[in-house]
Amino acid sequence: MGPLDVVVGSPHVRDSRMPELLAPAGGPEPFRAALAAGADAIYCGLGSDFNARRGARNFDEGSFSEACREAHLAGARVYVTENVVIRTSEMPRALALVRRATELGADAFIIQDWGLLAEVRRLWPQVEVHVSTQANVHDARGVAWCRDEFGAHRVTLSRELSLPEIELCSREGVELEVFGHGALCFCYSGVCLYSSFFGGRSANRGLCAQPCRLPHELVDEHGETICAPGRDRPLCPKDACTIDDLAELVGAGAGALKVEGRMKAPEYVLSVASSYRLALDALARGRRMPKGEDADLHRVLKRAFNRDFTDAYLRGTSGDEMMSYGRSNNRGETVGRVVASHSDGRRAVADIALEAPVGKGDLLELRHPTDPDDFITCLAPDDAEAGETIGAPCPRRMPAGSVVRALRSQHALDVAGRASSCEIPRRREVDVSVKALLGEPLQVTLSTTDGLFSASATGAVVERARTKAVSREDLVEHVGRMGQTPFAPRDFSVEMDDGTGMAFSAVHKVRSDAADSLAEAILEPNTLLASTLAEVPMPDELLGTGEGKAAGRDVEVCALVSSPEAAAAAFSAGATRLYATADDLGEGEWPEGVVPVLDEVCRAADHGRLDRLVEEGAPVAVGNVSELALATADGARPEIRGCIPIHNTSALAALEARGAAGVWLSCELTLEEISELAPHASVPVGLVVSGRPRLMTSEHCVLQAAGACIHDCSHCQLRARRLSLRNIDGKMLPVRTDVHGRSRIYDAHPLDATSQVPQLVSAGVSRLAVDGTLLGPEEVEAAVARVVRAVTAARDGRKPAPRAQGATSGHLFMGIG
């Protein structure tokens, strides 16, 4: 009997000392698989409009209601994902979804958009809200801000955090959700624009096309490849696996362990959730898993889906050890080698010497020993153990030495199929109390073993037996027959008089009534919450929809520059407001009044270099809510960078109310959306109209693809060069790595929206910026002068010059879905 057979369908009660096991469900079948595997909670999407996996099947109202009922009766919770940015025009529908999902049984909502979060807390403070990892929270200060400003019940931390960082965050008294298992994004979540700028499929709208998984070449200034052999996927991480880190995660204060995979099949969800269920239960009992059982769990995980596994982030590293440079698809588990190929007269047969067991029907991959692009797949013909040789029928012969991997377990497929189709995927344990006292009604009481719910039912008055008396064992047997209910008996307490008699059909009726009453009691809290929400009318007006103060502001030409020389060039070309990053401000003699730009990443280790730039009464551009919290507390004048997305008036108003003294709009907004949003601002509104958009920020240094890392960023010569990534379309994406080892990847084409300056100014955009991050002083001067000319043309009623050759208008005329 394997791990799946031990767990699947077994009753489970969460141990409060252990983190919640949170499993994904892209539809009803994986939902039931997660439930059968022992998940404490399941997250899913209702409809496909407002969740970060819009390509999943997701749920309609009928299937969602039934899923919630099954989960609640089994003792599990259900969370609905609304983890994308929301347009103002969509906000009423997004709020209606919250109310309707609650009516159908949702226990909580996972939210990215600060506007949606503010509206939900304003309208329905009873609703449980979880801050999504898409909100890009990296430190204890950010966690505290979510708690204090939005009343967040839970914060999902960024995947990149280490165990000590998680422990620091846990001190804030907010339940923390951490990433436990599954695919890792290369970029920090919530700030990735790669898919958005290459095809218009935005990760912030649930449509990521995962271009990071495709081959890229690291090239030098002359377009020559400098990638080390076998590193042609420099943006493709391995999958996270923390099954060996659970004790440390518990010690660090993790409140929930998330399994990624709403696009994954039921057998994947079942395999991963059941493996972590067994490991967590063993940990709760203070028991180390025997070596054989532990190996079985790792085998189940590897045969679900994986790009190899890593826990590098938890260990505080982000080097080659976390990357899957060679392939982005399923690696499975290596189970042997081809020792010979022959024909049986009808087909090719590969003789495989096994190093690990396989099951009949397992999907095997046979890959050429020297040509990794040459591979075939076949099925294992029979169950076989390590050390045996099997003959697997296959499409064609493969040479001896070909590596054989098991990609998929037929047993997992079979078990998942049974879990999806069975009437009750998981039962809830109950303690049973029976009273059969002469002269009193027969009474059966069922109590959930977690102590949360109890219900009783009574029947006819118990009489003295006329023939054979009923025994205690008879009552235990007949009351314990709960096959058609969602419950399973654990302990029995029977109080009865000697010589009692009753018809067993009457016993069955009382037991059935008690089970029905218990089910009603379990479902009642969600019904009451739904009734409470129904009493609150939908708002006639959203936050921030009143008139702002954007109109009539003087237009400022701004520039983000990387050196004092570029600052001087920008001033000479007519810029009136300059910005520079924290790192750049530490180099050279800068003029007075340059506004510090704080990073989009703010972890505990970043505080020393970033916090010192926040000064009372002075402007500062913040790229993270932790920095906003600090700036507000210190009396600074924070300007919200575009990496904290504002796509609706509710978010605009919410962030203004929490201290924003200016906002820079996201480059994912269209001109129409900007025109609808900017007039409602009460603070200056800015937009970058020239420069290269930043597409990704990663903790892993892309330059390691060269295979020449010296592990000393301050002396790395590659950092000083103008390197790029060449994608499969031949586009060149500039790459820059800072002194802390973080990489930023920029768009292949420069942005030039200067020809739209008249419309932007008319809409209320009063700060127009050149992003000169990748530009030298002369280039900055030319770019700023171009913006100044466009502003002058707008003021004089003239049409600005057309877009520069080779530049794009970004998303101004092409939305993101």
Side-chain angles (χ1 to χ4, degrees):
M1 181 178 287
L4 301 184
D5 304 293
V6 171
V7 174
V8 171
S10 300
H12 167 70
V13 178
R14 181 186 171 190
D15 188 317
S16 61
R17 300 168 300 166
M18 295 293 106
E20 171 190 270
L21 177 57
L22 177 58
E29 292 80 11
F31 189 100
R32 302 190 101 221
L35 201 56
D40 298 307
I42 303 169
Y43 65 102
C44 56
L46 176 55
S48 297
D49 290 339
F50 303 123
N51 75 83
R53 294 294 182 271
R54 288 166 64 185
R57 176 182 172 188
N58 295 313
F59 287 80
D60 59 22
E61 290 191 0
S63 60
F64 180 74
S65 176
E66 179 58 27
C68 289
R69 184 180 188 280
E70 287 187 338
H72 293 154
L73 291 177
R77 308 186 80 215
V78 181
Y79 307 146
V80 171
T81 53
E82 288 200 62
N83 51 345
V84 295
V85 293
I86 308 292
R87 300 185 178 103
T88 299
S89 62
E90 297 171 333
M91 189 63 73
R93 284 195 296 126
L95 291 170
L97 180 62
V98 171
R99 183 156 74 176
R100 183 58 179 151
T102 302
E103 292 171 354
L104 297 173
D107 295 293
F109 294 84
I110 303 170
I111 296 175
Q112 172 188 6
D113 191 287
W114 299 112
L116 177 59
L117 192 57
E119 293 286 7
V120 171
R121 298 301 289 155
R122 174 174 74 107
L123 295 170
W124 307 301
Q126 311 93 328
V127 170
E128 184 174 327
V129 292
H130 301 176
V131 175
S132 168
T133 190
Q134 287 284 114
N136 208 24
V137 178
H138 308 130
D139 64 354
R141 194 165 59 202
V143 169
W145 187 82
C146 294
R147 175 198 65 207
D148 297 340
E149 297 296 337
F150 288 95
H153 299 83
R154 176 186 291 183
V155 174
T156 309
L157 296 175
S158 290
R159 298 169 174 87
E160 290 81 359
L161 298 196
S162 66
L163 285 162
E165 289 174 297
I166 294 170
E167 195 279 326
L168 284 174
C169 292
S170 73
R171 300 179 189 179
E172 296 302 324
V174 181
E175 188 172 57
L176 300 179
E177 182 179 310
V178 301
F179 197 70
H181 191 95
L184 287 171
C185 291
F186 183 76
C187 179
Y188 275 89
S189 291
V191 297
C192 183
L193 304 178
Y194 192 178
S195 181
S196 172
F197 274 77
F198 281 80
R201 295 178 56 181
S202 173
N204 285 320
R205 293 284 292 175
L207 293 171
C208 182
Q210 300 188 43
C212 52
R213 299 292 182 189
L214 298 174
H216 293 74
E217 295 176 284
L218 183 65
V219 299
D220 64 16
E221 300 86 345
H222 309 291
E224 296 296 324
T225 298
I226 61 172
C227 266
R231 301 192 179 203
D232 61 345
R233 282 179 166 81
L235 307 183
C236 182
K238 297 175 183 176
D239 290 352
C241 179
T242 65
I243 200 161
D244 296 326
D245 306 308
L246 295 180
E248 290 167 286
L249 282 167
V250 171
L257 190 74
K258 175 184 177 180
V259 174
E260 178 274 340
R262 279 195 291 136
M263 298 292 287
K264 297 290 202 312
E267 65 271 16
Y268 173 89
V269 175
L270 182 103
S271 297
V272 176
S274 62
S275 297
Y276 279 83
R277 177 77 283 140
L278 280 172
L280 285 168
D281 289 350
L283 182 61
R285 294 192 298 269
R287 168 179 170 266
R288 291 184 62 88
M289 297 199 73
K291 188 174 182 180
E293 291 182 28
D294 186 59
D296 286 344
L297 293 190
H298 285 80
R299 177 165 294 123
V300 169
L301 292 174
K302 286 185 177 180
R303 297 187 188 187
F305 180 98
N306 76 92
R307 302 176 181 90
D308 205 354
F309 290 133
T310 181
D311 64 352
Y313 283 146
L314 286 184
R315 300 298 164 193
T317 68
S318 57
D320 287 338
E321 70 281 358
M322 66 167 283
M323 299 303 295
S324 180
Y325 288 126
R327 59 190 288 182
S328 60
N329 57 355
N330 185 11
R331 288 175 178 260
E333 180 188 25
T334 300
V335 295
R337 297 288 190 279
V338 173
V339 292
S341 287
H342 58 90
S343 174
D344 65 1
R346 294 181 298 114
R347 56 194 172 180
V349 176
D351 292 334
I352 301 170
L354 292 175
E355 302 165 5
V358 297
K360 182 177 181 178
D362 286 358
L363 179 64
L364 306 180
E365 175 196 86
L366 285 57
R367 194 170 288 263
H368 196 287
T370 58
D371 181 2
D373 293 327
D374 181 10
F375 68 93
I376 60 172
T377 58
C378 63
L379 300 179
D382 292 294
D383 295 345
E385 296 298 322
E388 296 183 32
T389 298
I390 60 171
C394 52
R396 57 183 168 85
R397 295 185 182 189
M398 292 296 287
S402 294
V403 178
V404 182
R405 295 175 180 272
L407 300 182
R408 187 188 65 211
S409 164
Q410 183 61 42
H411 181 58
L413 272 171
D414 294 340
V415 176
R418 292 197 296 271
S420 296
S421 61
C422 70
E423 185 177 353
I424 300 171
R426 184 170 105 206
R427 299 180 189 276
R428 190 168 189 172
E429 279 193 325
V430 293
D431 291 330
V432 183
S433 173
V434 183
K435 280 189 177 181
L437 303 177
L438 290 170
E440 297 182 14
L442 173 67
Q443 183 181 68
V444 174
T445 300
L446 304 180
S447 304
T448 58
T449 55
D450 54 18
L452 295 177
F453 301 99
S454 183
S456 299
T458 57
V461 172
V462 177
E463 300 178 351
R464 188 169 297 280
R466 298 174 184 175
T467 56
K468 182 182 178 181
V470 173
S471 68
R472 180 186 186 281
E473 290 73 20
D474 291 333
L475 286 178
V476 168
E477 178 188 350
H478 285 273
V479 175
R481 293 179 181 176
M482 297 186 180
Q484 300 303 310
T485 78
F487 307 115
R490 184 183 68 169
D491 290 329
F492 286 87
S493 170
V494 179
E495 183 181 357
M496 65 181 300
D497 289 330
D498 293 336
T500 59
M502 65 194 74
F504 290 132
S505 60
V507 175
H508 299 164
K509 176 67 166 59
V510 177
R511 177 208 64 212
S512 178
D513 289 346
D516 289 345
S517 296
L518 181 59
E520 290 177 9
I522 291 170
L523 300 174
E524 184 180 20
N526 290 86
T527 303
L528 293 175
L529 177 60
S531 299
T532 302
L533 265 61
E535 295 172 359
V536 180
M538 293 295 285
D540 294 327
E541 192 172 89
L542 297 172
L543 290 170
T545 50
E547 281 299 316
K549 301 176 183 178
R553 293 186 187 274
D554 291 336
V555 176
E556 297 177 273
V557 175
C558 309
L560 171 62
V561 294
S562 59
S563 69
E565 294 77 17
F571 270 137
S572 68
T576 57
R577 191 176 184 87
L578 296 187
Y579 296 79
T581 67
D583 288 342
D584 288 336
L585 286 172
E587 302 290 334
E589 296 295 324
W590 287 82
E592 293 290 328
V594 176
V595 180
V597 175
L598 306 189
D599 296 2
E600 59 274 18
V601 177
C602 184
R603 294 168 62 172
D606 298 309
H607 289 187
R609 65 187 180 86
L610 299 179
D611 293 3
R612 61 184 178 80
L613 296 172
V614 177
E615 298 181 0
E616 183 177 2
V620 58
V622 298
N624 187 276
V625 295
S626 171
E627 297 156 355
L628 174 61
L630 175 66
T632 303
D634 286 1
R637 292 187 288 120
E639 299 175 17
I640 305 295
R641 291 179 56 199
C643 44
I644 302 177
I646 297 174
H647 285 243
N648 55 74
T649 60
S650 302
L652 181 62
L655 293 173
E656 285 181 0
R658 288 158 178 80
V663 296
W664 289 89
L665 297 180
S666 166
C667 58
E668 289 195 305
L669 291 170
T670 65
L671 183 58
E672 180 180 1
E673 290 166 342
I674 292 168
S675 299
E676 292 172 351
L677 188 59
H680 298 286
S682 298
V683 297
V685 176
L687 184 73
V688 174
V689 295
S690 177
R692 299 250 185 178
R694 179 201 52 79
L695 302 185
M696 304 182 96
T697 300
S698 68
E699 196 64 25
H700 173 77
C701 173
V702 178
L703 308 186
Q704 293 189 53
C709 183
I710 62 171
H711 304 288
D712 182 357
C713 296
S714 60
H715 293 94
C716 174
Q717 295 183 1
L718 285 176
R719 285 185 53 246
R721 300 176 61 180
R722 301 175 74 84
L723 305 181
S724 299
L725 286 174
R726 182 163 52 214
N727 70 8
I728 59 172
D729 297 320
K731 302 290 179 62
M732 306 287 278
L733 288 69
V735 177
R736 299 294 181 269
T737 294
D738 64 26
V739 71
H740 318 289
R742 280 186 197 129
S743 288
R744 290 171 176 83
I745 302 171
Y746 296 86
D747 194 10
H749 301 285
L751 170 71
D752 180 15
T754 54
S755 55
Q756 280 69 54
V757 163
Q759 298 99 306
L760 293 170
V761 171
S762 177
V765 177
S766 59
R767 290 175 177 165
L768 302 167
V770 169
D771 184 342
T773 301
L774 304 183
L775 305 180
E778 292 183 0
E779 295 168 307
V780 167
E781 184 174 14
V784 169
R786 184 176 178 84
V787 177
V788 169
R789 290 194 297 271
V791 171
T792 301
R795 185 184 60 221
D796 296 344
R798 293 183 289 106
K799 189 175 181 179
R803 188 184 316 138
Q805 186 175 3
T808 76
S809 57
H811 282 293
L812 286 181
F813 301 105
M814 183 181 70
I816 56 173

